[in-house]
Amino acid sequence: MGDSRITIELTADEALVLSHWLEKLQMTDLSRVVDDPAVWAPIHRIAGTLDKVLPELFAPDDDRRLEAARQRLRPED
């Protein structure tokens, strides 16, 4: 596999929710949550990529948009 690339497609809602979660994860002690340091590099790469493609993450209405995205992604009971 080596240097093969894999593409993952996300909806805007999925990207926003995942980016927020990854940001929270990175602010913790990763070694307590992720027991294999080899996983840290892909976590940082995904988070960095999402930060680049979602500049609106730091918009003033972030909390409202994040909650709306979460609601749309949650399965209906």
Side-chain angles (χ1 to χ4, degrees):
M1 228 174 173
D3 61 354
S4 298
R5 298 288 179 170
I6 297 184
T7 302
I8 299 172
E9 293 186 14
L10 300 171
T11 66
D13 284 347
E14 291 167 337
L16 182 61
V17 170
L18 179 60
S19 180
H20 184 265
W21 181 82
L22 285 170
E23 182 180 339
K24 287 174 47 176
L25 176 66
Q26 290 180 293
M27 291 178 8
T28 67
D29 178 6
L30 275 179
S31 64
R32 288 186 10 197
V33 180
V34 181
D35 62 353
D36 183 356
V39 179
W40 301 352
I43 288 173
H44 292 305
R45 179 183 292 272
I46 292 168
T49 299
L50 289 172
D51 285 349
K52 289 177 192 170
V53 299
L54 294 172
E56 69 275 2
L57 281 177
F58 304 105
D61 64 341
D62 180 44
D63 291 338
R64 183 187 58 77
R65 290 182 318 103
L66 178 60
E67 187 53 37
R70 285 178 172 154
Q71 290 298 323
R72 288 188 293 270
L73 290 173
R74 288 187 181 120
E76 296 182 21
D77 293 332

